[in-house]
Short mmCIF file of all heavy atoms in Angstrom, two decimals:
data_model
loop_
_atom_site.label_atom_id
_atom_site.label_comp_id
_atom_site.label_asym_id
_atom_site.label_seq_id
_atom_site.Cartn_x
_atom_site.Cartn_y
_atom_site.Cartn_z
N ALA R 5 1.70 -38.80 22.35
CA ALA R 5 0.30 -39.15 22.67
C ALA R 5 -0.21 -38.40 23.79
O ALA R 5 0.49 -37.88 24.63
CB ALA R 5 0.29 -40.65 23.03
N ASP R 35 -1.87 -22.19 7.85
CA ASP R 35 -2.65 -22.71 6.75
C ASP R 35 -2.93 -24.19 6.89
O ASP R 35 -4.09 -24.60 6.63
CB ASP R 35 -1.82 -22.55 5.43
CG ASP R 35 -1.69 -21.09 5.01
OD1 ASP R 35 -2.42 -20.26 5.57
OD2 ASP R 35 -0.87 -20.84 4.13
N ASN R 49 -15.41 -20.71 8.94
CA ASN R 49 -14.62 -19.50 9.28
C ASN R 49 -13.52 -19.79 10.25
O ASN R 49 -13.86 -20.14 11.44
CB ASN R 49 -15.52 -18.38 9.78
CG ASN R 49 -14.86 -17.09 9.98
OD1 ASN R 49 -13.76 -16.84 9.44
ND2 ASN R 49 -15.46 -16.22 10.83
N ARG R 51 -10.29 -17.95 11.71
CA ARG R 51 -9.52 -16.69 11.69
C ARG R 51 -8.12 -16.95 12.07
O ARG R 51 -7.76 -17.96 12.77
CB ARG R 51 -10.18 -15.80 12.72
CG ARG R 51 -11.54 -15.28 12.34
CD ARG R 51 -12.50 -14.90 13.48
NE ARG R 51 -11.89 -13.94 14.37
CZ ARG R 51 -12.52 -13.47 15.50
NH1 ARG R 51 -13.78 -13.89 15.75
NH2 ARG R 51 -11.96 -12.63 16.33
N GLY R 57 -0.44 -9.14 19.62
CA GLY R 57 -1.07 -7.87 19.44
C GLY R 57 -2.21 -7.80 18.38
O GLY R 57 -3.24 -7.29 18.52
N GLN R 62 -7.88 -8.11 16.85
CA GLN R 62 -8.87 -8.77 16.10
C GLN R 62 -10.07 -9.12 16.98
O GLN R 62 -11.25 -8.96 16.58
CB GLN R 62 -8.33 -10.01 15.39
CG GLN R 62 -9.32 -10.72 14.48
CD GLN R 62 -8.75 -11.98 13.92
OE1 GLN R 62 -9.37 -13.08 14.09
NE2 GLN R 62 -7.62 -11.84 13.31
N ILE R 73 -6.44 -21.41 19.29
CA ILE R 73 -5.21 -22.21 19.27
C ILE R 73 -4.05 -21.31 19.24
O ILE R 73 -3.97 -20.50 18.28
CB ILE R 73 -5.16 -23.19 18.08
CG1 ILE R 73 -6.32 -24.14 18.04
CG2 ILE R 73 -3.86 -23.94 18.03
CD1 ILE R 73 -6.46 -25.07 16.86
N LEU R 74 -3.19 -21.32 20.28
CA LEU R 74 -2.22 -20.29 20.52
C LEU R 74 -0.79 -20.84 20.51
O LEU R 74 -0.52 -21.72 21.21
CB LEU R 74 -2.50 -19.61 21.84
CG LEU R 74 -1.49 -18.57 22.39
CD1 LEU R 74 -1.45 -17.30 21.50
CD2 LEU R 74 -1.80 -18.18 23.84
N LEU R 76 3.06 -21.00 21.42
CA LEU R 76 3.78 -20.62 22.71
C LEU R 76 4.68 -19.40 22.44
O LEU R 76 4.68 -18.52 23.30
CB LEU R 76 4.61 -21.81 23.18
CG LEU R 76 5.48 -21.45 24.39
CD1 LEU R 76 4.67 -21.27 25.64
CD2 LEU R 76 6.37 -22.72 24.66
N VAL R 88 -1.91 -15.58 29.34
CA VAL R 88 -2.36 -14.61 30.44
C VAL R 88 -3.11 -13.44 29.81
O VAL R 88 -4.14 -12.95 30.27
CB VAL R 88 -1.08 -14.09 31.27
CG1 VAL R 88 -1.46 -12.90 32.08
CG2 VAL R 88 -0.52 -15.22 32.06
N ALA R 104 6.42 -26.96 20.21
CA ALA R 104 7.33 -28.10 20.14
C ALA R 104 7.98 -28.27 21.52
O ALA R 104 8.71 -29.34 21.74
CB ALA R 104 8.36 -27.83 19.06
N ILE R 123 -0.62 -29.00 23.61
CA ILE R 123 -0.36 -30.09 22.63
C ILE R 123 0.91 -29.85 21.82
O ILE R 123 1.34 -28.69 21.66
CB ILE R 123 -1.57 -30.35 21.79
CG1 ILE R 123 -1.89 -29.05 20.96
CG2 ILE R 123 -2.76 -30.86 22.55
CD1 ILE R 123 -2.97 -29.30 19.98
N ARG R 129 -2.41 -35.66 12.34
CA ARG R 129 -3.72 -34.96 12.14
C ARG R 129 -4.85 -35.57 13.00
O ARG R 129 -5.63 -34.91 13.63
CB ARG R 129 -4.10 -35.01 10.74
CG ARG R 129 -5.47 -34.30 10.43
CD ARG R 129 -5.69 -34.21 8.92
NE ARG R 129 -5.76 -35.49 8.26
CZ ARG R 129 -6.89 -36.22 8.25
NH1 ARG R 129 -7.98 -35.72 8.78
NH2 ARG R 129 -6.89 -37.40 7.65
N GLU R 148 1.35 -37.00 27.18
CA GLU R 148 1.56 -38.22 27.97
C GLU R 148 2.92 -38.04 28.71
O GLU R 148 3.92 -37.51 28.17
CB GLU R 148 1.64 -39.45 27.16
CG GLU R 148 1.83 -40.75 27.91
CD GLU R 148 1.90 -41.99 27.02
OE1 GLU R 148 1.82 -41.82 25.85
OE2 GLU R 148 1.98 -43.06 27.58
N ASP R 153 0.10 -33.53 39.18
CA ASP R 153 -0.01 -33.75 40.55
C ASP R 153 1.26 -33.78 41.36
O ASP R 153 1.27 -33.76 42.62
CB ASP R 153 -0.80 -35.06 40.85
CG ASP R 153 -2.23 -34.93 40.33
OD1 ASP R 153 -2.74 -33.87 40.22
OD2 ASP R 153 -2.81 -36.06 40.01
N ALA R 163 -1.30 -20.53 39.32
CA ALA R 163 -2.57 -20.16 38.86
C ALA R 163 -3.04 -18.90 39.46
O ALA R 163 -3.56 -17.96 38.78
CB ALA R 163 -3.55 -21.30 39.03
N ALA R 166 -0.94 -16.09 38.04
CA ALA R 166 -1.31 -15.76 36.63
C ALA R 166 -2.64 -14.94 36.62
O ALA R 166 -2.69 -14.12 35.76
CB ALA R 166 -1.53 -17.14 35.92
N ARG R 167 -3.50 -15.24 37.50
CA ARG R 167 -4.73 -14.43 37.60
C ARG R 167 -4.43 -13.02 37.95
O ARG R 167 -5.10 -12.10 37.42
CB ARG R 167 -5.77 -15.06 38.59
CG ARG R 167 -6.39 -16.35 38.05
CD ARG R 167 -7.58 -16.71 38.95
NE ARG R 167 -7.14 -17.15 40.31
CZ ARG R 167 -6.82 -18.39 40.63
NH1 ARG R 167 -6.93 -19.31 39.72
NH2 ARG R 167 -6.47 -18.70 41.85
N LEU R 172 -3.58 -6.99 34.62
CA LEU R 172 -2.86 -5.92 34.05
C LEU R 172 -3.49 -5.50 32.64
O LEU R 172 -3.86 -6.28 31.92
CB LEU R 172 -1.34 -6.28 33.86
CG LEU R 172 -0.61 -6.69 35.11
CD1 LEU R 172 0.89 -6.90 34.71
CD2 LEU R 172 -0.66 -5.62 36.19
N ARG R 181 7.11 -5.77 31.01
CA ARG R 181 8.02 -6.47 30.17
C ARG R 181 9.32 -5.74 30.03
O ARG R 181 10.46 -6.29 30.17
CB ARG R 181 7.46 -6.67 28.72
CG ARG R 181 8.32 -7.55 27.87
CD ARG R 181 7.96 -7.55 26.40
NE ARG R 181 6.55 -8.02 26.26
CZ ARG R 181 5.60 -7.23 25.74
NH1 ARG R 181 5.86 -5.94 25.41
NH2 ARG R 181 4.38 -7.72 25.58
N GLU R 200 7.17 10.32 31.94
CA GLU R 200 7.79 9.55 32.97
C GLU R 200 6.84 9.39 34.15
O GLU R 200 6.80 8.40 34.84
CB GLU R 200 9.11 10.10 33.42
CG GLU R 200 9.96 9.18 34.30
CD GLU R 200 11.34 9.69 34.50
OE1 GLU R 200 11.80 10.57 33.81
OE2 GLU R 200 12.02 9.10 35.42
N VAL R 203 4.52 6.62 33.58
CA VAL R 203 5.21 5.42 33.79
C VAL R 203 5.17 5.04 35.27
O VAL R 203 4.79 3.94 35.68
CB VAL R 203 6.70 5.36 33.32
CG1 VAL R 203 7.39 4.10 33.75
CG2 VAL R 203 6.78 5.61 31.84
N THR R 208 3.04 1.83 39.83
CA THR R 208 2.38 1.76 41.15
C THR R 208 1.18 0.78 41.03
O THR R 208 0.93 -0.02 41.95
CB THR R 208 1.91 3.12 41.58
OG1 THR R 208 3.05 4.00 41.82
CG2 THR R 208 1.13 3.10 42.91
N SER R 228 8.85 -16.33 37.69
CA SER R 228 8.40 -17.65 38.34
C SER R 228 7.32 -18.33 37.59
O SER R 228 7.19 -19.53 37.63
CB SER R 228 7.91 -17.36 39.74
OG SER R 228 6.62 -16.66 39.74
#
Side-chain angles (χ1 to χ4, degrees):
D35 291 346
N49 187 18
R51 293 153 52 180
Q62 186 183 125
I73 299 175
L74 174 67
L76 176 66
V88 168
I123 58 177
R129 181 172 61 85
E148 182 183 2
D153 295 335
R167 286 192 293 271
L172 300 183
R181 188 190 300 117
E200 191 170 347
V203 173
T208 298
S228 73

